[in-house]
Amino acid sequence: MFPTPVQKASPWVRHAYTIILPVALIVWLLPLIGVAITSIRPSGDLAAGNYFGIPSRFAGIENYTAVFRDSPIGWYILNSFKVTIPTVIGAVGLACLSGFALAVYKFRANLILFFLFVAGNFIPFQILMVPVRDMTLKAGLYDSISGLVLFHIAFQTGFCTLFMRNFIKSLPFALIESARVEGVSEWRIFRYIVLPLMRPAIAALSVLVFTFIWNDYFWATVLVQGQHAMPVTAGLYSLNGQWIAAWHLVSAGSIVAAMPPVLMFFLMQKHFIAGLTLGATKG
Amino acid sequence: MSSTVPATTSYWKRNQQRLAPWLFLAPGMIMFSIYVIIPIFESIWISFYDWDGLGAKTWIGVANYVELLDDEAFYTSLKNNILWLVLYLLAVPAGLAVALFLNQTVTGIRLYKSLFFFPFVISQVVVGLIFTWFYAPDFGLLSALIKTVTGESIAILADERYVTLGIIAAGLWPQIAYCMILYLTGLNNINPEQVEAARMDGAKGWSLLWNIVLPQLGPATFIAIVVTVIGALRSFDLVSIMTDGGPYGSSRVLSFYMYEQALSEYGYRMGYGAAIAVVLFMIMMVFITMFIVRMLMQERNA
């Protein structure tokens, strides 16, 4: 193991480590802790200049109630779910199919198509912005949830295909081979042999795509204008403009907007990290 | 799972293996072509036009690109993008350092690792707002610290000298967390025997890290560099949230400037915006090609 485990080090180093560890964490999360504390501060504290001290009283309930009552943030969050969930299903579903095709079959265009998906996944969004916005407008999907969902599904298919293809490649190919010898149709091989084995990959990808899409801000500003389809990232930014200097509300709103992906991460941590680090160990 | 092969072989049966991949690929490929591949070429096409997004397009050849050459704001954006790229790469060694620090087996370390990773899970909009507050003059935590140390108050986001650095620092926060998690996984998978053997031979500290551990972390380093370079060139959210390109456009990056030209209150210059996007795309292509060549070599070896 590297570095040397602290258990093998001198007692002095061991003690130092147990002290430095929590201190480092606090410093690392300082901006976040600050915001969390601000979100439970009464507005009077900010007016009185008590920015960093202990809040004079716990105003968390009134701040968070105010955010939900006086702003459409609840609606924005609902929109975010309406965009995120269909995208996860669509992109992961399409990628299961195309990943299977690229992993299992040998044909001439295979690698070219694979790298097309990989490259597409790395390009800057701005090169797509004008045509995609124009197309969405012409299709009558501008400023709608479905316009956003369709784009996200298509774009995420690149990353998801790369992921699925590599995952299926790591499965034992003999399984497919022997099914073919028995005359099992290609669709049934996919459906009954490969798909059940893809469960961990599907879980990992779903959590990742959920976070990516939930946190998307650029496309939310390009393809949506009005409140009725706006996801929480863009919504929070517009609320920030209204809540000038009402930092206790901005903080509470930020925490609310960050919550779903954070919960997702803590509940599905194993899958999340497995997805994110695929390829960090081999290949 | 058994099925019988019919005596008469239909066209489908005979060609199933050749046709199946295309059927499996079709839905994904169609979506990806419509929304990603074709728009790239459309953007390049639009960059040769003068177009407000609504009316007729006027062909103006390379005039948009010629205009870029004389555009002060374009150079500011380009310069900031280079700054982003260079400084953002600090996330790679910093992530490694944090990973090495956390690669221990004391009680509660799992929770520590998750909490260190935390910033990456949060949306960049929230990160931007958090840091705007953190930097705010008078009542921001960092400004207060700077004031106690130097006695001077600095409005980081309103000062042309510091604004881009301030935004990059905010971006580094989640990016370091990302690199850290890549390295933690990498460290988990290094060959302990090699490390022990090297220790027996008297290697330790830096030389052990440099000669034995880092080579084994190659794949993690590669991915960390890829995602960091892409992240730096894609930086848009933080600039938009924290400064909206200001003060006086000094914190613009290409992605933001493109958006501003094509879709903001300053007017709808789709053609000019597309030209900026093409330049950004070309820069990105240099890196994408490098990544693909490396991946291709690995595929060949596999």
Side-chain angles (χ1 to χ4, degrees):
Chain A
M1 192 172 167
F2 187 86
T4 314
V6 280
Q7 286 86 345
K8 286 188 190 164
S10 66
W12 192 87
V13 173
R14 228 165 35 228
H15 287 300
Y17 189 73
T18 48
I19 295 167
I20 294 170
L21 195 56
V23 172
L25 181 68
I26 290 172
V27 171
W28 180 242
L29 293 181
L30 203 59
L32 199 63
I33 295 167
V35 163
I37 294 176
T38 308
S39 79
I40 59 163
R41 235 177 242 293
S43 55
D45 271 21
L46 298 174
N50 177 12
Y51 298 115
F52 312 116
I54 295 159
S56 58
R57 66 188 168 80
F58 175 78
I61 294 167
E62 70 186 65
N63 287 349
Y64 283 89
T65 319
V67 163
F68 275 101
R69 191 192 51 216
D70 305 334
S71 84
I73 203 161
W75 179 251
Y76 293 151
I77 291 215
L78 188 68
N79 282 339
S80 279
F81 277 113
K82 284 193 207 156
V83 171
T84 308
I85 292 169
T87 303
V88 169
I89 296 170
V92 174
L94 289 184
C96 284
L97 296 171
S98 48
F100 176 79
L102 293 177
V104 168
Y105 300 95
K106 287 193 175 70
F107 53 101
R108 198 173 294 160
N110 188 316
L111 263 192
I112 296 170
L113 286 177
F114 175 60
F115 284 117
L116 209 60
F117 279 117
V118 177
N121 166 52
F122 288 147
I123 57 167
F125 293 142
Q126 282 70 24
I127 192 86
L128 309 179
M129 189 187 101
V130 172
V132 166
R133 183 176 175 278
D134 191 43
M135 182 163 61
T136 307
L137 266 169
K138 280 186 183 138
L141 294 172
Y142 181 73
D143 206 12
S144 77
I145 303 263
S146 25
L148 212 45
V149 168
L150 281 174
F151 172 77
H152 280 318
I153 290 179
F155 191 81
Q156 293 301 323
T157 299
F159 171 71
C160 294
T161 300
L162 156 73
F163 188 99
M164 285 301 187
R165 182 257 190 195
N166 285 350
F167 184 84
I168 298 171
K169 271 246 150 153
S170 68
L171 298 174
F173 193 69
L175 229 54
I176 296 164
E177 208 98 280
S178 60
R180 274 191 190 148
V181 172
E182 286 196 35
V184 182
S185 75
E186 298 298 313
W187 170 254
R188 291 176 69 91
I189 290 175
F190 169 71
R191 177 70 189 77
Y192 295 106
I193 298 178
V194 176
L195 201 57
L197 295 172
M198 282 162 74
R199 255 186 238 138
I202 292 173
L205 254 189
S206 304
V207 188
L208 272 187
V209 174
F210 181 93
T211 316
F212 292 162
I213 301 305
W214 186 278
N215 291 341
D216 163 68
Y217 167 73
F218 181 73
W219 292 103
T221 58
V222 170
L223 296 181
V224 167
Q225 202 163 34
Q227 244 179 40
H228 71 101
M230 195 177 270
V232 72
T233 43
L236 187 64
Y237 181 57
S238 77
L239 286 176
N240 181 49
Q242 294 165 31
W243 290 330
I244 298 161
W247 283 100
H248 55 299
L249 295 182
V250 177
S251 305
S254 302
I255 301 246
V256 168
M259 227 16 126
V262 166
L263 283 178
M264 195 71 157
F265 166 65
F266 275 104
L267 293 176
M268 310 273 289
Q269 208 184 123
K270 209 185 77 197
H271 291 303
F272 192 97
I273 291 178
L276 212 54
T277 56
L278 181 97
T281 51
K282 57 160 181 76
Chain B
M1 284 287 12
S2 72
S3 71
T4 48
V5 185
T8 50
T9 49
S10 61
Y11 175 79
W12 168 245
K13 284 279 175 208
R14 268 180 285 123
N15 292 288
Q16 199 188 147
Q17 287 220 20
R18 206 162 52 81
L19 296 175
W22 296 104
L23 293 175
F24 279 113
L25 272 170
M29 247 171 50
I30 292 169
M31 284 291 276
F32 202 68
S33 308
I34 294 176
Y35 272 104
V36 182
I37 306 296
I38 298 170
I40 294 175
F41 294 100
E42 279 182 308
S43 271
I44 296 172
W45 185 243
I46 292 169
S47 74
F48 296 112
Y49 283 92
D50 180 27
W51 187 38
D52 63 0
L54 295 166
K57 300 185 183 78
T58 322
W59 173 270
I60 52 169
V62 293
N64 283 326
Y65 294 93
V66 173
E67 189 181 339
L68 273 182
L69 291 176
D70 262 331
D71 186 344
E72 196 81 26
F74 170 70
Y75 287 110
T76 308
S77 312
L78 193 62
K79 196 196 85 214
N80 282 337
N81 257 126
I82 294 166
L83 200 61
W84 266 88
L85 199 58
V86 172
L87 292 179
Y88 222 47
L89 279 169
L90 290 177
V92 178
L96 176 62
V98 180
L100 289 173
F101 174 65
L102 290 177
N103 194 33
Q104 293 289 350
T105 47
V106 299
T107 37
I109 196 73
R110 269 190 55 130
L111 185 64
Y112 274 106
K113 287 176 186 169
S114 332
L115 287 172
F116 265 89
F117 183 62
F118 211 78
F120 181 74
V121 186
I122 308 170
S123 143
Q124 298 243 317
V125 175
V126 175
V127 171
L129 289 176
I130 290 177
F131 272 81
T132 308
W133 170 83
F134 197 56
Y135 290 153
D138 303 330
F139 59 87
L141 205 47
L142 187 75
S143 306
L145 283 175
I146 291 174
K147 203 170 180 180
T148 13
V149 176
T150 65
E152 243 182 294
S153 122
I154 299 171
I156 293 169
L157 296 181
D159 191 319
E160 288 182 37
R161 286 169 300 171
Y162 305 119
V163 61
T164 298
L165 298 177
I167 302 173
I168 296 173
L172 278 173
W173 194 44
Q175 196 64 28
I176 290 172
Y178 192 178
C179 294
M180 172 205 85
I181 210 81
L182 291 170
Y183 276 121
L184 275 175
T185 312
L187 283 169
N188 226 341
N189 287 288
I190 58 172
N191 182 348
E193 280 157 27
Q194 267 189 35
V195 176
E196 286 318 311
R199 278 212 176 99
M200 298 277 205
D201 291 341
K204 55 183 177 185
W206 283 110
S207 80
L208 185 61
L209 175 67
W210 188 257
N211 296 314
I212 309 296
V213 177
L214 265 187
Q216 292 195 54
L217 291 175
T221 306
F222 174 66
I223 297 197
I225 292 175
V226 171
V227 295
T228 305
V229 167
I230 304 282
L233 292 176
R234 272 202 184 151
S235 55
F236 170 89
D237 297 8
L238 289 174
V239 175
S240 163
I241 301 293
M242 294 175 75
T243 62
D244 213 7
Y248 311 111
S250 59
S251 63
R252 284 183 185 125
V253 286
L254 287 175
S255 61
F256 182 80
Y257 186 48
M258 181 274 163
Y259 174 83
E260 214 177 40
Q261 284 299 318
L263 272 188
S264 77
E265 63 262 41
Y266 299 106
Y268 281 42
R269 297 191 64 198
M270 299 286 178
Y272 196 54
I276 301 168
V278 169
V279 172
L280 182 61
F281 177 71
M282 292 302 177
I283 298 172
M284 204 85 116
M285 271 323 274
V286 174
F287 293 99
I288 295 176
T289 314
M290 278 158 53
F291 305 148
I292 300 250
V293 166
R294 199 196 127 119
M295 285 178 77
L296 197 66
M297 271 152 54
Q298 275 166 351
E299 285 293 323
R300 292 259 163 81
N301 293 336

